Every structure is written in structure tokens, then in C-alpha cells.
């Protein structure tokens, strides 16, 4: 099977239309709001506009109203959508909904798909994914999972604490990961549950104030305190939660890369525009060597990130786990995007740190990406371990 | 003349007491306020406490109520004060007041010292320094100065626009730089004026929203529109403004380094505390090699920055211009502090981007330092030119 | 047209066989010789072995005895060949012969192809490309070309000095670039000439001692002093030399990347093997976090370089000039390969700087790649200029 | 006690004279020899010249014919000596003799001083320090020491293998570290012995070919095979070897920094001279922004390294162990010197990799410094551990 470096014809057209839509329709809203999405009205209006422009839900299968793009094609469209902080929201491909749709399509039962996936894909509902726990619970080490689900007659009772649950505020349902066998430290025995908003045993304890502010619904700390759910709230199979998490993880971190690479392109465009206009010491900024070095390094970082995303997509589209390639792409992209935004801000000087351009906002939004979906250090650890295991296996004779 | 790597006995004691004062009295206020100083009441209360602790105004000469430290000794005290974002405010050594006091002591007339320096040194008033202009005016290139002051009977009329004027809101007086001869692009012909708040020809046009928020009084855009001042508002001599700016510049950028190095030490302490407590994969974070690398790199950056600050101080205390040494110190420190804060935040993971610790705040506060007081690129350009001129001079035979 | 991230079936098989050939046949010779190819006997024997293994000349069209791979497919085969410093020599794809074959196939006359390309493709002859001149001649700035060719009856007389002419010693013919119109500084008016070894007007003045030593034939300084050639020595058209140079340049710098990426993979394998075996402080080196970080960064650099090479190949195979994409790939790869070799050596510690492994040799061989085929700084300058021109064009209304 | 940032008057004069001596007398020899010292005649002639210039042996106490400089003063003189690869040899302050003299002065008995130190300080003899062992012996982890010394009647019998023993070939005596109690892995129980050349139980097994070639006597692998020595061959006390090694280590690694910083200054001077002369694209190289950035970064690295060396010297001169400060200085200097040489070479382009300037040689010579005297990774590990221990101690209440 071959995987292209270029989008298929459908995706190419969709990417072009997405680019136009984002620049013409989304960016003005973003600039007015300073990049923070604000109310649900904004979200709904942007999604309506995206639907009219024919660019809504590019990732979901046609059965649920989408364009059914594979990962490779998503790369081209998502990068265009990511050109604005609000672009992914408009196309309904923002985290965590996008990853949840991907996982629901892969593992939910037909009934669950009707009840949860269909309205989610349509933008009628929102969701969140409750996995991360405060120390010493599940974080970089998923096996530390401390939230438990115990069998009760007709269902399960979930108890535990989660934090940094993106989009929790206003979510119509929550996919929560809980331990159904084993103990914290064991790599097995987790199960995913679908919990509806309003369940009296689940509540938001606080909104965590964070450096970033543009992910819709913010980051919440949640408490599951005797939260009971019926049997059909189990997503997939009992005790298969860690495996499902990996199903979600590879693609989810890769689409994160796509979206943030869009912001890197945007930052570069802002900086280049400034460098092309601003005069200093008798020449345009763009003619000064150190500024040229920054512009070039941005271009190199963006191209390299794009290449790594495509390699990860190729892996996933071929049916691979993408463990190594998505880890490599994520680590590089998170750091490259950060470098690009930082250099772009530097090129713009005082203007760059002001609210007159969105670069300071982008800096705040992209910083956490080097931490969530696995900190760079955890990924480097995993990458190296796989390389060494490969070596050990080849020499274990 | 010898310049020590260690503080003199007075400064050593003062540094020790400053450290205790900041940790015990200032940090709790800072943590309560999230690092943003808020109202003038906070400032006044912190300064009263500093006076009681005997650590107020370490830099001003005893004649004006201070401890009269030279630059070398300031390094040790200011680094301790900078351990909290509010420490410099408490000691009355925050920018831009501290630099203004330094300059007023050096060049103001006796009458101007009584009127402006004495209350400023006492914390009874605040000031600002209006030099930077929006493009294409004075910024990285001071010679682009576009604001003008024209002679009128009995005084001067100032016209022009300034921006990023730190501390303007609430300042009791403004030191404004205006062109009194020549044209934008000429390196000569600037004069400094003391303008009292309330002058009807001077007003704040807007508060510039910026990534950083902890400098008291914020960053304003100001308009001088037929702003008239009497003859005795001239600070020093007419047409000597650029020279005075350099008098202010070398020490001011060096004390900036001292203060921000304090924040770097603080960030490191927060990260080390976290690394020492948090367990991951069965060991303390502090025992993981990649975390150790970050802690060590922080330590190296902090030590190197400290050494460069002392070299710059030695230059200035010996009566040198400090042009090269302060430029080197500023460039390295601004980038090193940024790296230290960034690594510290990374060590803390999700906690690091949350408002539960101040690292995200520190990241926002320190980013602009790579731009103000000369962007790193402008400094590198100057540093290289001086090296090449030295070579040219040595080989021009 | 689609361009794959995976090799076509022919190239996939060829890459696999090349990998085996290099590991089994070439590496032992390389380790015996310390990476420096030595005599022509070694070259001829390696090429005979490659021919027997069916991996000889993968890039030349079948008409001249090769496999006729496009750029994309070359990437996969050349990276395998580059796994040993002698691999490219064995496959007859070493610089500068490989680039010369590519150019001759594109622009030589049928008679020139018979006379020069056919034996070159067969490994029966060697060649060099004489373009670079000592300062202030052609280097980073090709337009500075100072060597001249003047019309004489029945041909041309070439005068000038060239240096860093790789492979000159022992070359059977030289492709020399000379100015046929205009003056140094003009971007036009160059012509390429084919000069046979033994021409009395052309001689090697000295062998330039260099950090690298593995390119066959070394780097020579050459003098053209009244060197006369007949009319049919003109390669392509008169005054079209700069255009042809660009035809050669894009692919040549990209195949350089492929070959050196092979060395990066080799260095990583050596380091991983060491890290997997060596114990320190009670664990394997491979289990220490800082070593893992280096292994992971190598892996990331290698993957990113590979992705950029493929993007450049896609550009070239689609018929594009590849100006931007090959420049990006070259800049990143040259620096990434260097980083990988440097980290690998560091992982191996004292062993790494010893002659017991080839890492010190690799370090020496790869350092110049950041300079030849355009220093990184020249590429960054070009990359930025293209970005800004694109911006200017889009906003020139 | 105060420690100056400036040399004392004696050292200032000595540094000035050393600078002149190295530039006028040593550099011409170095350029003729390509930086590799060659025969003992060269060494003896250079040392005679240094003695005549009054700059010989600045570090040894006057009792043994030196100038008795403390560490701070050494910094200024050694940095000047290090300006040439042969400068330290000329002044008799090259590794490993310089470190051995330092240690002998500190711990040898009066008789040992007469017999070993006096002629060594005079340049009449040479020495080496045999500590490092091939894996799994003593390297980054000294406690892995595997060479043993067993009591025999009237003395000791030493058995073991050492490698990377710098200067072994031609050394008149060897200071060897051997285990006299405990087992590999124990941190105690080592003893140092003085072994005369010609001892039949000690021999050089091979010369290790290395990337660097300028340390006199090269790097040898040595075998101690039933090597017997009398009781008075014990240096200091039995079982105190690890403590003595630390006595040697802090100062020795700091003087390494001083010498290599000299090479960094030299590389910068070569690059600046080239940048000031060479024209490209119509301006001097020195006027191109990216070249200016490299020149400035060199200047910053050199200044920061100098500051860290002085901080380490202050620590040592005050009687501290210097464990943390010399570790910080070593890590930063080794990497900074490498960056400076690398950038300088890059500035010089093709010339830089040629033997026409010594930059390629410097690159080869400085690379191992990131490994010997403790790899950067081992130092970072130690630095971080000390920081965390400091934290633990402060919070262990």
C-alpha cells in the first residue's frame, strides 16, 4: 500500500476550501475575541458557517455526516483549520471531541453510536475525556490509574478524582477511565465508561486556571463520588480500557500536531508580514540576516513537522499502532511549534508581546502542548526504549 | 582597582535580610495576588514593610534615604529582591523607577533632585521613562527618535507619540526624550524633559494589553500634543539626551538582569521542590535523568548569568561605559532566565501550566525581557560590531 | 501526480539488497581501512562486488547500465548505501560522479554521453566538477565566478583558479565552469566545459588538507592556465552554465542528504549497541535518562531528515526546481546528521573519540557538509528571501 | 575573604607577557607543525624559550621554580597560554603534568617532592596519571576501580589495565590509582602509587588512536602485570586515593577550562579576521547578520565561561572543595568552547575545514573535552543531585 505525500483530490479541494473559510470567516471572529472562544453561541455560529461552507466534520464517516477522510488527508485539512485558534472548533475537530469521535467510531456499540456519536458529530453535543489524575494518579504513567469502578447490581460505581479534563464544563457526556481490576501500578484492568452530564455522582470541583485559555470548556478538576452507571455505559469491553486509550492516543496526538502546526504557519505569516513592512536601520526587517535566520528556521521547522505528521499518518493508515512514529511526530511538533511561535513573536518585537497581534496568545496556547498528550520527556523515554528493544531483539541470539 | 566576586560585608548582610524579607513577607502577598501587584495600597504596604525590615532603597545614596550600594553589591541584593515578582516593588527598586533614580542622581540639578528624586526615592511618588516610539520611531534604533521639542518663549513644546511606557499610569512625573535638533536618523540632538503628571498636553491614549502584567502601572501609549514645559524641566543639558540615555541604559539593563535572575532562582526552587516530592514510574522525578539534566542546566544558566552580571558591574563600578559587558550580560541573562523558567515549568508538568504555581506567570513576565532594553538581535549586532571594530583598529596599520 | 512516502516495489527490493550488501561486504572493508578509501584497487573491487550483488548504479538509466530510479526511490537506496562511508563508492553513487552523471544525462549531447557518461556510469572512469573558486571568486555567491573562457579559433581558452575540487586527483575528465560573458558579480554568462585529464593547460596545484578524508580523490586546488579545448567540449549551450548548475544542484544536494543520513543511522546503531551493552552505576547506559534523551533525539532527527528528503524528492520528481524544498532539506539534514553523529560519539564516551569505532571519523566527514553545497547561512538567507518574496507577491496590489 | 574578578598585579603582568610570548614565539611553531607537538626537542626548545621570557611554570610555588599563582591568577595566565595548542606545553602547564604537580605539592612527602616534583616542575621530566580503566572499570564511576594493589613484603604488587592514559609514552613516572581494599563498586579503598618508568611490571600495550592528537605523549593503554613497588611509592596515605583524586580533580578540570578557553579566543580571532577581510554579496562577511550572530554568540560564550571559571577559582582559593562550582564550570566550558570553535569554523567556510587554518585541528582537539574529566552527562547528574540534596536537607524537619 502506498501513502502519498500529497492529499487525495477530495482532500485537496477540501483543504483549499477550509483555508479560505478559516481566513475569511473564522479569523475575523478570532481577532475580535482575542482567540478565546467565549460562549457556546460563538461555537454554534461558527459551526453553522462551516456547514454552509461544506467543510464541517471532515474526519467523521459520511454515515455520521462527515467527509470520512483518512489520517493522511486529515493532515492537509486540519493544518488549514488550525490556522486559527477557533478553526478546529468551527469544523468540529477540536480536542477532545475529535478524538472522542474517532474512538467512538472505532469501538462503541451501534446503540452508543446513535446516542453519543451522532449528535456529537453534528455539533449538537460536546464531550470530554476523563483520564488524567492528580499525582500520584494516572499522568505520564497511565498504569498509576487510581480511579476505581466497582461492580454493583445492574452496573458500576465509579470513585476517584480527575484533573485537567479539557472541555468538561458544558460537556453533555464524559468518557471516564477507571480501574476495574488490579491496583495502581498494574498495566491492566482499566475500563472506559460513558457518563451523562447531570449524573449526581459526578461533579466539577473547580476550573483550573491555566496558561492556555482557548480550548473550549476549559480544564476542570472533577470528582467521581459514588457515581453509578448502568451496564450499557461500558464502552467496548471491560478491562480493555488501556488498549482503547492507545487506539485514541496515536491519532489524537497526531491531530493535535496538525492543528498546532496550523498555528505555527499563522505565526510565521504574521511575522513575515511584519518583517516585510517594518523598517529598521534603513532596511526592511526582512533584509536583516538575523531576522532571515528566524524566518528560515520557522520554514524548516514547519516543513519538518509536516513531514513527520505524514509519516505518522502513513503508519496509522496502514493499520500500524503508530506508537513510535506518532511519538516522534508529537515530540518534534510540540517543540517546533513552540519555537516557531517564539521566533515569530521575537521578530515582531514589542508589537509581538502586545495584544495588538495574537502571538502572545499563541505562545500561551502552545506551551502546554509540550506537556499534555505525554510530556516530551516521557515520549523521549518511550522512543529510546523502543529503539533499544529493537536492538536487543536483533541481537538476542 | 579590584572588584570582588563576593559582596562587601554591608551588602552581604543586606542581601541576607532581603532574602528573608522577600520569602517571609513578600512571597505570601505575591501568591495571594497571582503575581500581579494590583492597587497602590499593596505597593505602599509592601514598601512600609521593607522600610521596617531595613531593606528599603538599597541603591540610592544615604543622602536620599538609601544604602548607597555600588553595582557589584546591588547584584547580590537585587537578585534576592527579584525572588518574588513583587520584591523589587517592595524595595523600591522596580523598573522604571530604579533606573530613573540612578539617572537623576547622576545628572539632575540640585533643585530637580529635591523635587523629583527625594520623594521618588522615598516611594512617595512614581515615575516613568518615555523614550520608545511606535514604528518608525525610536525603538531598537534610538536615532529614529521622532518626538520633537521646540523652543517657545520660556520653555519648550513637546509633540509626539510614545508607546510601551512602563509605569505611566499613576506616575507623578515622566522623563521624556525628544528631539531638539537634527532629524530622525541622526544620532544627535535629543533632550530629556521632566514633565509633571497633569500637564494638559500629555495624556495616556491607551493601556497596551501585553503578555506580561506584573510591572506596576502597566505599559501605556502616550500622546504629547503641544505639551509645554518651562526651561527648568530640561534634565541635564540640551541635546545631550542620547548620552544620558546611555548613562541610564547600561546600569538599567544590568539591574533588570539581577531582578529577573531572582525569578530564575525562584522557578528553579519551585521545580526542585516538585521534583523532590513527585513520584513517577517508581522513583522521584528528581532521580530521572532527563529531569536531572533540566535541573543541572538551570543551575548552570543561573551561575553563568550571575558571573556575567558581576563582570558588567565590575566594568560599571570601574567607571567604564559597560557598553559591551552589559550588552553581553543582558543578552545572555534574558535568554537564560527564559530557559530556566521554561524548564522549571516543564519539570512540573500539568501543574506547571496551572495557576496553582506561578510558573506560567513567570513565563509571561520574562518573555518580553528578550525584547525590551534592546532585543537580543540588536545586542548581538552591537556586540559583533564592537568586536570587529576592535579587530579593524588593531590591524589598521 | 502522487508521490509516495514508501518506495516502489523495485526500489524496496533494491534498498533491501543494498542494505545487506553494505553491511556484509562494504562495512568490513571500511572498518579495516578506517573509513578512508585509499587506492583505486579498493574502489574497483567494491564496485565489482556491487555489480555482482545487482546493486550497482541504481540512479543511471538502464540504457547506461543502471536501475533508473527516480529521486524518491533513490532516497531509500542511497540511505542504505550511505550506511558506510564506502557504500556510495561501491554503488558508483558517490559525489561528485553521481551528480555529474545526473547532469550529463540531462544535458550532454549524444556523442558526449557515449564518450563521457557511459564509461563513468560503468565505473571505468571518474570525474570531477570544477566550480568553486578561492575568494573572492565563486563560492556561496556563484555570480562571483572569475574563471574565464575566451573564444579562440576552433574552441576556447580557459583561465582561472579553482579549489576544493572534490575527486580531482585521478579524474579522467573535469566539468569546469567558466565565465563566457559578463563580469564577476553578474548572474549570467557562464558556460560548462568538458576537459580531459592530461590537458596541458590544466593542472592540480595542490591537495588541500581537510578535516574530511573519505571522498575519493580528495579536494584539490586546480589551475587553468591557457587551457584550450575544442568547440565540442562545450556542455549544453554557451552562457547557460548557471542554469545547468541549478539542474545539477537541487538533486546533488538532495543525494548528499541521503548518503549522509545513512551515516547518521550508522552512528545511531553504533551508539545504541554500546548503550545496550555498557553498564554504568549499576544499570545499562541505555537505561539512563540522559542517554535515552540522546537516543530519542537521534531518532527524531533521522525521521525528520528522511521526511524532508522525501518532500524534496517529490518536488523534483514532479518537475519542480526544488529550490526551496531542497534548500530546506539540505540545511536541516546537514545539521541533523552532525547532531546525530555528535550525540552518538558522546554516548560512547572515551571509546567514541578513539579509533576503535568510526564515530570520530564520521564527525570529521560530516562537518564540512554544513559548508559545501551552500553553507547553512546561505541557505537560510535564500529560504527566507523566497518566503518574503512570496509574501510581497501576494500583497503587491 | 574577597576574590577578585581582576588578576592581581603580578598575574596581570605575567598574563600580558604570556600573551606576547605565545603570540610571538609559540604560535609560529604551532602553525608550522599543524598544532601537533611532535618530538621532545620541540617541547624542550619551547620550554627554554618560556624560561627566558620569564613565563615558565606560573603555577608551581617559588620553592620549585614557579610563580606560585593561586587559582584566580592562574585563570588569567593559563587562558593566555591556551591561545596556542602548544602554549601550555611551553609553560609546563599542560595536562597531565600540571595537575600532577598540583597534587604532588599538596600531598607528596618531602622526599617524593625532591625526587618527583622538582624535576617535573623544571620540565626535566614528564609524568602521567593512570586512573581510567576500560569498561567495566573506573571511568565516569570512579568507584568501579578494578586495578588492585596487594601488600607484599616491603611493598605492593599492582595488577590491572588502564586506558586513555594521557602522556604515558615518554613519561618518567606514573601516578597510578589502585584498589587496596574493598571491591569494585565500593567508594573507598583506593591508593595512589608512584611508579618509575622502566618498571618491568608496567608497560604500554598500545597507543590509542584518537580524534585529538595534540596532547604530548598521546593516549595509551597500559598493563600493570605483577608490577611491584616499594613502600615509599605510596603517595600520601594508603586507602586515601579517592580523596586525593578529588584534590586533583577540581583544580585540574578548572585549569583544563582555562587552557581550552584560550583556544576558543584564538578560534574567535581567526574567524573575526576572516570575517573582516572576506567580501560576499557586496559586503564584508562581518556585516552579514548571521555572521554577526555567530561572532556575538562566541563573545557571549567566552565571557560566560570566563565568569564561571573565576567563580570556581574563588571557591577553590577560599579552601572549598569546588565540587559544584568546578563541575558547573567544566560542563559549560567544554560545551561553550566546542560551540565557539564550531561557529568559527563555520564563519570561515571552506577555508575553515582546510588545513590552511587550524580550526579543523581545534575542533578535533576540543571534542574529547566534553568527555574526559567527566562527561557532561555525569556532571549534570552530579550537579542535579547536589541541588536536590540541598533541598532535601533544608526540608528534612
Amino acid at each position: 500500500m502506498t501513502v502519498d505525500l500529497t492529499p487525495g483530490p477530495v482532500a485537496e479541494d477540501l483543504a483549499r476550501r477550509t483555508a479560505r473559510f478559516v481566513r475569511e470567516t473564522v479569523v475575523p471572529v478570532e481577532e475580535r475575541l482575542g482567540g478565546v472562544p467565549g460562549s457556546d453561541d460563538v461555537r454554534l455560529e461558527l459551526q453553522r458557517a462551516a456547514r454552509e461552507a461544506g467543510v464541517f466534520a471532515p474526519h467523521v464517516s459520511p454515515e455520521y455526516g462527515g467527509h470520512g477522510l483518512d489520517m493522511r488527508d486529515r493532515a492537509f485539512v486540519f493544518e488549514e483549520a488550525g490556522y486559527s485558534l477557533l478553526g478546529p472548533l468551527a469544523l468540529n475537530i477540536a480536542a477532545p471531541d475529535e478524538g472522542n469521535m474517532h474512538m467512538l467510531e472505532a469501538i462503541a456499540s451501534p446503540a452508543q453510536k446513535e446516542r453519543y456519536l451522532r449528535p456529537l458529530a453534528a455539533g449538537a453535543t460536546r464531550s470530554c475525556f476523563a483520564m488524567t489524575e492528580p499525582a500520584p494518579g494516572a499522568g505520564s504513567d497511565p498504569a498509576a490509574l487510581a480511579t476505581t469502578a466497582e461492580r454493583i447490581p445492574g452496573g458500576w460505581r465509579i470513585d476517584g478524582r480527575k484533573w485537567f479534563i479539557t472541555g468538561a464544563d458544558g460537556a453533555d457526556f464524559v468518557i471516564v477511565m477507571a480501574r476495574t481490576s488490579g491496583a495502581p501500578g498494574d498495566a491492566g484492568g482499566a475500563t472506559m465508561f460513558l457518563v451523562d452530564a447531570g449524573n449526581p455522582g459526578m461533579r466539577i470541583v473547580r476550573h483550573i486556571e491555566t496558561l492556555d485559555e482557548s480550548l473550549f470548556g476549559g480544564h476542570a478538576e472533577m470528582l467521581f463520588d459514588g457515581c453509578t452507571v448502568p451496564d450499557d455505559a461500558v464502552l467496548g469491553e471491560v478491562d480493555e480500557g488501556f488498549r482503547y486509550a492507545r487506539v485514541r492516543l496515536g491519532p489524537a496526538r497526531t491531530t493535535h500536531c496538525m492543528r498546532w502546526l496550523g498555528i505555527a504557519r499563522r505565526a510565521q505569516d504574521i511575522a513575515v508580514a511584519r518583517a516585510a513592512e517594518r523598517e529598521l536601520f534603513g532596511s526592511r526587517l526582512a533584509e536583516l540576516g538575523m531576522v532571515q535566520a528566524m524566518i528560515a528556521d520557522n520554514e524548516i521547522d514547519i516543513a519538518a513537522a509536516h513531514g513527520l505528521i505524514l509519516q505518522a499518518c502513513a503508519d496509522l493508515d496502514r493499520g500500524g499502532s503508530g506508537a513510535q512514529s506518532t511519538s516522534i511526530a508529537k515530540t518534534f511538533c510540540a517543540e517546533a511549534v513552540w519555537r516557531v511561535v517564539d521566533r515569530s513573536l521575537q521578530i515582531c518585537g514589542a508589537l509581538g508581546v502586545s495584544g495588538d497581534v495574537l502571538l502572545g496568545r499563541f505562545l500561551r496556547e502552545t506551551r502546554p502542548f509540550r506537556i499534555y498528550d505525554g510530556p516530551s520527556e516521557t515520549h523521549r523515554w518511550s522512543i529510546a526504549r523502543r529503539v533499544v528493544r529493537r536492538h536487543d531483539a536483533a541481537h538476542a541470539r
Side-chain angles (χ1 to χ4, degrees), chain A:
Chain A
M1 179 194 171
T2 62
V3 182
D4 293 335
L5 266 169
T6 46
V10 169
E12 190 167 9
D13 175 62
L14 195 51
R16 198 179 311 114
R17 286 187 294 115
T18 299
R20 195 167 52 236
F21 169 71
V22 169
R23 280 158 173 82
E24 291 174 4
T25 305
V26 180
V27 162
V29 178
E30 180 199 32
E31 291 186 338
R32 178 164 51 79
L33 298 174
V36 181
S39 75
D40 216 40
D41 289 351
V42 171
R43 178 179 76 89
L44 294 171
E45 180 176 327
L46 285 170
Q47 296 194 342
R48 187 164 46 239
R51 221 176 274 108
E52 277 165 26
V55 298
F56 189 76
H59 58 311
V60 186
S61 67
E63 185 181 347
Y64 297 100
H67 293 84
L69 301 185
D70 62 9
M71 289 299 294
R72 191 256 320 224
D73 279 347
R74 283 180 210 183
F76 296 90
V77 174
F78 281 33
E79 288 183 20
E80 292 298 348
Y83 194 76
S84 160
L85 289 171
L86 304 186
L89 197 70
L91 271 69
N92 201 20
I93 55 167
D97 287 333
E98 181 263 341
N100 286 344
M101 291 182 235
H102 184 91
M103 187 170 63
L104 288 171
E105 236 184 307
I107 62 174
S109 69
Q112 287 169 336
K113 284 185 185 174
E114 274 316 301
R115 182 166 165 195
Y116 293 105
L117 175 56
R118 185 169 299 283
L120 185 63
T125 58
R126 287 203 304 102
S127 65
C128 67
F129 184 67
M131 177 151 164
T132 306
E133 299 169 345
S140 286
D141 182 6
L145 184 70
T147 296
T148 57
E150 285 187 35
R151 269 228 160 276
I152 56 171
W156 299 80
R157 198 188 72 197
I158 306 170
D159 290 278
R161 187 175 288 266
K162 302 282 184 178
W163 79 338
F164 284 91
I165 306 310
T166 305
D169 190 11
D172 297 88
F173 67 95
V174 178
I175 303 174
V176 63
M177 184 94 151
R179 178 169 293 282
T180 39
S181 67
D186 293 353
T191 303
M192 288 190 185
F193 297 90
L194 290 152
V195 185
D196 294 327
N199 185 315
M202 169 178 81
R203 69 174 197 274
I204 291 176
V205 176
R206 65 160 177 154
H207 288 87
I208 303 175
E209 190 195 338
T210 54
L211 191 58
D212 62 309
E213 295 176 339
S214 80
L215 286 175
F216 202 82
H219 307 285
E221 184 164 340
M222 303 182 78
L223 186 67
F224 294 81
D225 183 10
C227 172
T228 61
V229 293
D231 272 335
D232 63 3
V234 172
L235 180 57
E237 305 288 320
V238 171
D239 279 356
E240 293 291 330
F242 285 124
R243 189 165 60 80
Y244 299 151
R246 281 192 294 271
V247 166
R248 186 187 191 281
L249 204 62
R253 70 164 69 121
T254 308
T255 57
H256 258 316
C257 292
M258 300 170 189
R259 289 183 294 258
W260 288 124
L261 186 53
I263 283 299
R265 291 185 200 277
R266 174 82 169 287
Q268 165 81 326
D269 282 356
I270 293 171
V272 168
R274 177 68 172 174
E277 291 157 18
R278 171 85 162 97
E279 305 234 333
L280 188 67
F281 302 117
S283 36
R284 298 200 295 173
L285 270 189
E287 283 148 20
L288 299 177
M290 292 188 231
V291 173
Q292 292 173 328
M294 290 194 278
I295 291 174
D297 281 332
N298 282 355
E299 208 69 11
I300 293 169
D301 266 337
I302 289 169
H306 182 65
L308 289 171
I309 288 171
L310 289 180
Q311 292 181 64
C313 290
D315 240 24
L316 294 167
D317 283 336
R318 273 196 295 261
S321 78
Q324 187 77 329
S325 60
T326 65
S327 215
I328 288 174
K330 197 276 177 180
T331 308
F332 184 90
C333 287
E335 295 178 353
V337 166
W338 172 252
R339 286 191 296 263
V340 171
V341 172
D342 183 71
R343 284 187 210 109
S344 300
L345 187 151
Q346 186 71 16
I347 290 171
C348 292
L351 179 75
V353 296
S354 81
D356 296 4
V357 295
L358 281 168
L359 293 168
R361 169 57 57 194
F362 294 166
L363 201 75
R364 295 176 60 178
E365 299 304 319
T366 54
R367 180 63 186 85
F369 186 35
R370 286 163 49 202
I371 291 172
Y372 56 62
D373 272 16
S376 299
E377 291 70 32
T378 308
H379 281 292
R380 286 196 165 85
W381 173 75
S382 304
I383 293 166
R385 277 162 53 102
R386 283 189 208 98
V387 171
V388 174
R389 273 204 301 266
R390 202 171 61 199
H391 170 273
D392 287 347
H395 293 78
R397 277 180 289 262

